[in-house]
Amino acid sequence: MYGIDHYIGGVFSAGSGTRSGPVFNPSTGEEIYRCHYANRETVDAVAKVAVAAGRAWARQSHARRLQVIFKMRELVIGQTEALAKIIGLEHGKTIDDAKGEIGRAIEALEFATNAPQVTKGEYSINVGGGIDTFSIRQPVGVVGCIAPFNFPVMVPIMMGSMAVAVGNSVIVKPSERVPGATAFVSDLWKQAGLPDGVWNVVNGDAEVVDALLEHPSVPAISFVGSTRVGEYIYQKGCAHNKRVAAYTGGKNHMVVMPDADLEAAATAFVSAGYGSASQRCMAISLLVAVGDQTADRLRALIVPMVEKLRVGSYDDKTADFGPVVTAAAKATVETAIQRAVDEGAELVVDGRNAGAGLNGFYVGASLVDNVTADMQMWKEEIFGPVRGIMRVASLDDAIELVNAHEYGNGAVIFTRNGRSAQRFYMDVEAGMQGVNVPVPVPVGYHNFGGLRRSKFGDAHMFGPDAARFYTKMKTISQRWPEPDAEQERALSLAFPSND
């Protein structure tokens, strides 16, 4: 059984660490290989490599850097099938779902080709006294990218592509559950012509995260993952004077008004709620029906669709979604289902036995009705295929419910009334919202990110703001006086004026 190595300076290496962890195929429950874990010495070694490589890369022209980005896009497109199989093997998501993830990674690479445009500075002529003032953006240096298990290709590429395009070097710490995909991506960057040391990967757990957060040569950290970890990373990173962008948990509500196209809303809820075994931060978690009649009609439409959803191996073309990522995740989801029942909710569809006869970490599609705001089913993010129905009396009640939750990642409304839609997106405190759109993930040239405890830090690592996160601003004031100008030699202790 072989191990997944780190990628340091263009070479795969086991590093100096002695620890490793298992990587499972969630579809079968089998351990497929080991992942070598880095120690602090390995992180220090890769940081030195990244610093040296980044200095040279930052001096390259925009044209040179974009040649690599364009080539990387071509390679990812050409290797979509291979990447999808690796994602499916380690994560469990179906091949079609994995290809959708890769498509968004390609979109991120395409947007990164705009780096020269989105990093242009400003120039003001003769602001006073013959002085011109201008601003420039330069790379921050070495960027630490801490990625989650649920998007092992999309997130590292979305983080890394703009960081590389504007002249940084990167150190990626993928989830130790899905290290193979990032290793494959590393080889693609090398084929694309990225100089050795600009893209690096260190595998591991909390020890690696702490080493990156504390390392003086890593001034910026990007993170996608759970709220608990994201808050820790944000607080510790800031304590070490780093800029941090952390995207964390979500509990995304889908409000359905009585005037909505209920058949379209029901289909949207099932599609947006159960894909990828609901292991998405932007998955719809709860359907909030305005009025009992609306709820009853939606339930009648949704239940048959949920009952037909089929679980299966990542390479099973008949499966609607695959397993959850680990045995522990399966146990957590099943516990959440039982707790909802114990707290008084109605279990309408029970998917806990859907994987009977299969050896992997399967949980079938489950649906719970009559969820209330005092239940854990509403309070916690459940990373598994159990979704809920809530009932409220009015749009005001729906908005109040959404805003009462600690998370503000995404929220959507289904309605035919423009005024209801406008009230919703103006009053709801969620960073990404949809109107008759079930998964409001913006395209790559718009900013991605939630509000409240779904995001820590003001910066965005995706979209146009990514260029600002991965660069530092300098403002220069310059004057070129006439030769032998007498006023240049006159002593003045007064605060400079703009006259």
Side-chain angles (χ1 to χ4, degrees):
M1 184 175 293
Y2 70 95
I4 296 290
D5 288 340
H6 317 296
Y7 187 75
I8 305 172
V11 177
F12 286 101
S13 168
S16 59
T18 58
R19 297 188 304 124
S20 67
V23 179
F24 293 96
N25 175 356
S27 296
T28 64
E30 297 174 333
E31 181 178 335
I32 47 179
Y33 36 72
R34 305 286 296 181
C35 175
H36 294 130
Y37 289 2
N39 56 14
R40 288 179 177 270
E41 289 74 20
T42 301
V43 172
D44 187 58
V46 74
K48 290 176 182 176
V49 168
V51 167
R55 286 174 181 156
W57 180 243
R59 291 192 293 269
Q60 295 291 323
S61 67
H62 280 299
R64 168 72 182 99
R65 296 202 292 260
L66 294 194
Q67 286 172 1
V68 174
I69 300 296
F70 276 114
K71 182 62 177 177
M72 182 63 175
R73 173 187 177 273
E74 177 185 327
L75 290 168
V76 172
I77 291 172
Q79 293 294 334
T80 293
E81 290 288 342
L83 278 168
K85 289 178 181 177
I86 296 172
I87 294 171
L89 179 68
E90 294 184 335
H91 175 279
K93 67 175 65 174
T94 64
I95 295 296
D96 284 346
D97 192 15
K99 287 180 179 178
E101 170 186 344
I102 296 164
R104 296 308 295 263
I106 293 167
E107 184 181 285
L109 288 163
E110 291 168 348
F111 181 68
T113 64
N114 289 282
Q117 172 69 20
V118 294
T119 54
K120 290 191 300 187
E122 300 173 326
Y123 202 106
S124 298
I125 297 174
N126 193 21
V127 298
I131 296 173
D132 298 338
T133 298
F134 60 96
S135 62
I136 61 174
R137 286 194 170 274
Q138 294 180 311
V140 296
V142 180
V143 177
C145 303
I146 304 170
F149 78 87
N150 56 334
F151 289 102
V153 168
M154 184 188 79
V155 171
I157 287 182
M158 290 181 81
M159 288 175 170
S161 56
M162 183 60 79
V164 166
V166 299
N168 297 287
S169 56
V170 300
I171 302 173
V172 180
K173 206 298 282 185
S175 168
E176 61 274 25
R177 302 171 188 169
V178 290
T182 310
F184 193 97
V185 167
S186 300
D187 187 61
L188 295 184
W189 277 115
K190 189 176 184 75
Q191 293 179 46
L194 190 67
D196 293 345
V198 176
W199 172 278
N200 307 276
V201 177
V202 285
N203 297 301
D205 51 15
E207 182 178 349
V208 175
V209 172
D210 283 334
L212 289 171
L213 291 172
E214 296 167 9
H215 204 287
S217 297
V218 183
I221 296 287
S222 59
F223 169 82
V224 176
S226 72
T227 295
R228 179 184 62 81
V229 177
E231 184 173 25
Y232 171 82
I233 285 173
Y234 177 72
Q235 292 177 348
K236 187 163 187 173
C238 290
H240 284 81
N241 199 31
K242 301 181 189 297
R243 60 175 63 181
V244 181
Y247 294 166
T248 54
K251 193 74 176 180
N252 307 313
H253 299 75
M254 175 177 166
V255 175
V256 182
M257 299 296 292
D259 63 9
D261 181 337
L262 297 188
E263 290 188 1
T267 301
F269 173 72
V270 175
S271 299
Y274 293 97
S276 194
S278 307
Q279 295 176 119
R280 297 170 177 163
C281 68
M282 287 300 292
I284 292 297
S285 305
L286 296 162
L287 186 151
V288 181
V290 177
D292 281 332
Q293 186 177 12
T294 305
D296 291 340
R297 291 172 63 194
L298 283 167
R299 172 171 159 168
L301 292 166
I302 289 169
V303 168
M305 287 188 277
V306 174
E307 289 176 335
K308 290 179 182 177
L309 293 178
R310 183 178 178 279
V311 298
S313 173
Y314 74 93
D315 54 359
D316 181 349
K317 294 184 187 224
T318 68
D320 293 293
F321 59 85
V324 293
V325 69
T326 63
K330 171 180 165 67
T332 297
V333 175
E334 291 176 341
T335 297
I337 294 171
Q338 186 57 50
R339 184 168 56 231
V341 173
D342 294 341
E343 290 180 342
E346 179 187 359
L347 182 57
V348 182
V349 180
D350 187 351
R352 286 175 288 184
N353 294 320
L358 301 174
N359 293 325
F361 311 134
Y362 294 97
V363 183
S366 300
L367 180 67
V368 180
D369 195 1
N370 295 300
V371 177
T372 58
D374 59 346
M375 297 178 181
Q376 286 298 114
M377 178 77 190
W378 178 73
K379 296 176 183 178
E380 68 177 5
E381 181 180 32
I382 302 173
F383 239 46
V386 49
R387 310 288 87 174
I389 298 174
M390 304 184 75
R391 298 160 183 255
V392 295
S394 66
L395 177 58
D396 287 337
D397 292 339
I399 292 172
E400 182 179 351
L401 177 72
V402 174
N403 287 342
H405 204 282
E406 65 174 324
Y407 295 138
N409 210 31
V412 303
I413 184 171
F414 274 67
T415 181
R416 288 189 173 101
N417 187 302
R419 178 57 182 154
S420 295
Q422 185 183 52
R423 282 195 55 215
F424 184 84
Y425 63 70
M426 291 297 292
D427 292 347
V428 163
E429 289 296 313
M432 293 169 285
Q433 298 187 34
V435 177
N436 301 318
V437 174
V439 184
V441 176
V443 293
Y445 43 88
H446 282 269
N447 290 322
F448 177 106
L451 298 176
R452 294 179 287 168
R453 288 178 59 78
S454 289
K455 180 174 176 291
F456 293 89
D458 293 332
H460 292 79
M461 73 188 86
F462 306 146
D465 278 357
R468 290 180 275 277
F469 177 71
Y470 292 124
T471 56
K472 58 192 175 188
M473 172 77 77
K474 291 181 179 178
T475 303
I476 298 97
S477 298
Q478 68 175 6
R479 177 171 59 191
W480 299 101
E482 294 293 332
D484 301 321
E486 290 295 329
Q487 67 268 23
E488 294 303 311
R489 302 189 185 93
L491 180 65
S492 176
L493 302 184
F495 192 81
S497 72
N498 293 328
D499 297 333

